[in-house]
Amino acid sequence: MKNIKLEIENMKEELLKDLETLVSIPSVLDIKSKEKGAPFGKEIRNVFDAFEKIAKRKGFIVKDDDGYAIDAQIGVGEDYIGVLAHLDVVEAFEKAKWNSKPFSLKEENGILYGRGVNDDKGPLLAALYAMELIQKQNLKLKYPIRLIAGGAEETTWECMEHYFKGHKQPICGFSPDGNFPIVNGEKGILQFAFHFPLDETKMQIRCGERLNFVCDALELLTPTQSIAFHGKRALSRNPQRGENAIFAFVKQCKGNAKYESPFYFMMEMLNNEFLDDFYGKKSGLFAEDKEMGTTSVCPMSITWNQSKREVCIDIRYVKSISEEEIINKLNEIAKRYHANLEIIKRKKLLFVNEDSTLVTSLKKAYTKVTYEESETFTKGGASYARVLDNGIAFGATFPDEDPFPHMPNEHMSINSLLKACEIYYEALCLLAVDEEN
C-alpha cells in the first residue's frame, strides 16, 4: 500500500458514515439509567455497542470491560501500544446557539458539525482507521496495537480506573484528545470550593454553570430587586479567553456588604485574591517554569442561598509548584476569610521529556505528513494520557484551529480528520511495526 493518503481518501465515506452513527448517539452520563453492563447509563452503553459493531466489522479483537471501557486490538501479545480515547460527550449546552442539531452530523463547506466530532469521536475513529490500514497491509507487528475507549472521560474517569485494575499498562501510548503537534505536558488540576457560614441574609446569588467554565451569567437576587451580570463564556482552563461575570459583580457590589458578614468576607476574598487575575499573582498561587508555562486561576461560580454559600475556583498548575503547596495556600486564604475549603476535583500533572522515544517518534510522524516542525507544548486540559505511565496527548486539533469543544457548534474539518488519520498511521507504524517489513 504505497499511497496512504489516497487509501485514506478512499475510506472517507465509510469513516464519515461511522462518525454519523456515533454522533447520533447522545452519549452523556445518565446515572438514572445505569444498570449492570451500563454503569454510565443507557446512551453510553449504546455508543459502546455501536463502536463494537464498527470494530468487529473491521476484523479487530474487541473486548468489553463491564461497560466501563471497550477495546479493539490488532495483533497478539502481552505488551502493547495503547491509544486511549473516549466515547462519552458533554451535554449540548445552549442549544439555541447551535446552527444544527447537536446529535446529528452535519457537513457544510467541508466542515463537520455535531457534539463529539472533535471531542472525541472523530479523532477516535481516525486512530481506528489508521489501525485498519496497518492491518490491511499485513505488516509484521513487534507489539499489538490496542485502542481503549472509555465511557466517563467527561465526568469521573472511573472508566480508566476500572480498566487498569484488570489490565496492564501499555509500553507507551497516546490519546487523540488534545492538539497537534505534541502535547507533552498537561497542567495539574485542582477545583475547589470555599464554603462560608450561613446567616440570616435573604440575598441569593446564582450562576449558570457550577464547574468547568468562566462564569458568563450571574444573577443577584435581593428581597427588592434582581440584578444580572453578564460575561463571555470560555473553558475554565483558559480564563483569559473569557469575560468573567463574577468580576463585574464584585466591582459593582463590593461596597454594599455588611461589615464582617459572610457576604462581606466572600467579597473581600474575591476582590483581594482573584479579581482580574488569571494567573494567581494576587493570591500567591502563581508559578512558572520553562517547559509548562504558568498557572491559571479561574473563579467559576458562586452559589449563595439559605442552604449553601460557596465559591468554586479552578486552578491549573505547573511542575514548579506542588499540589501540597497550593492546598496550603488555599487553606491560608480560607482561614483569612473565615471559610472552609473543599477539594472537588484533583488530577496530577503530566510531563514527558522531549527526548523520550515516544515523543521523538510522534514528532517524526507529524513532520512526515505535514512537512512542519513538530514542537512540544503544555495544555491546561486533561486527556487520558494522564492515566498512562508513558503517554501523551497527540492531536487531533491542528494549530490555529478552534473546534469549540464543550461549546455550541463543535466542529472539525474533513481535511483535518483525514490528515489526523494519516499522522496516526505513521505514528503507530513507528511505535508498533517491526522494522523488518
Side-chain angles (χ1 to χ4, degrees), residues 14 18 45 48-64 70-73 128 132 135:
E14 183 187 359
D18 286 338
R45 178 67 262 170
F48 274 23
D49 293 341
F51 172 81
E52 181 177 5
K53 289 181 181 179
I54 293 169
K56 283 186 173 179
R57 188 185 77 226
K58 296 180 178 301
F60 293 179
I61 303 165
V62 182
K63 295 181 180 178
D64 189 317
I70 187 167
D71 66 49
Q73 181 170 308
L128 190 77
E132 183 183 16
Q135 183 168 257

Side-chain angles (χ1 to χ4, degrees), residues 104-115:
S104 178
L105 187 68
K106 177 185 177 182
E107 186 272 328
E108 185 175 311
N109 299 322
I111 307 296
L112 301 169
Y113 293 88
R115 178 60 85 219

Side-chain angles (χ1 to χ4, degrees), residues 177-328:
D177 190 19
N179 295 69
F180 288 125
I182 311 283
V183 183
N184 70 323
E186 294 185 11
K187 295 178 183 180
I189 300 173
L190 274 175
Q191 290 185 341
F192 54 92
F194 291 112
H195 292 281
F196 292 85
L198 301 177
D199 62 6
E200 298 302 316
T201 304
K202 303 297 183 183
M203 182 186 306
Q204 294 187 54
I205 304 169
R206 55 194 183 201
C207 296
E209 297 292 336
R210 181 171 178 256
L211 304 175
N212 301 324
F213 295 96
V214 173
C215 178
D216 66 338
L218 181 149
E219 186 178 17
L220 172 65
L221 299 166
T222 71
T224 59
Q225 63 179 331
S226 170
I227 306 173
F229 299 87
H230 300 285
K232 177 183 175 183
R233 191 172 197 165
L235 297 175
S236 57
R237 65 176 182 248
N238 296 311
Q240 73 282 1
R241 296 181 184 175
E243 296 174 10
N244 204 318
I246 292 174
F247 294 165
F249 160 67
V250 171
K251 289 173 183 177
Q252 182 169 325
C253 300
K254 64 183 178 182
N256 298 331
K258 180 181 177 181
Y259 183 63
E260 293 197 344
S261 66
F263 182 76
Y264 169 85
F265 285 120
M266 184 264 290
M267 295 295 274
E268 285 290 295
M269 181 191 74
L270 288 169
N271 182 67
N272 297 340
E273 311 291 344
F274 301 107
L275 184 67
D276 292 332
D277 181 8
F278 302 130
Y279 307 108
K281 293 183 177 180
K282 295 171 72 172
S283 59
L285 296 167
F286 177 82
E288 183 176 20
D289 60 55
K290 181 180 178 181
E291 293 90 357
M292 299 193 76
T294 65
T295 52
S296 68
V297 179
C298 177
M300 296 179 288
S301 64
I302 303 173
T303 303
W304 202 270
N305 53 45
Q306 296 307 303
S307 59
K308 180 182 285 188
R309 307 283 176 86
E310 76 167 16
V311 177
C312 293
I313 310 284
D314 181 299
I315 293 178
R316 310 288 165 123
Y317 62 92
V318 297
K319 57 188 176 69
S320 59
I321 188 170
S322 69
E323 182 186 84
E324 183 180 10
E325 288 177 275
I326 292 171
I327 292 175
N328 287 340

Side-chain angles (χ1 to χ4, degrees), residues 117-154:
V117 294
N118 173 266
D119 185 17
D120 186 38
K121 294 174 179 178
L124 176 151
L125 285 176
L128 190 77
Y129 272 69
M131 292 167 60
E132 183 183 16
L133 281 171
I134 292 173
Q135 183 168 257
K136 280 183 174 181
Q137 292 177 277
N138 294 316
L139 296 176
K140 182 181 178 183
L141 298 176
K142 56 184 177 182
Y143 303 112
I145 304 169
R146 184 185 304 173
L147 190 153
I148 307 164
E153 194 274 348
E154 301 292 5

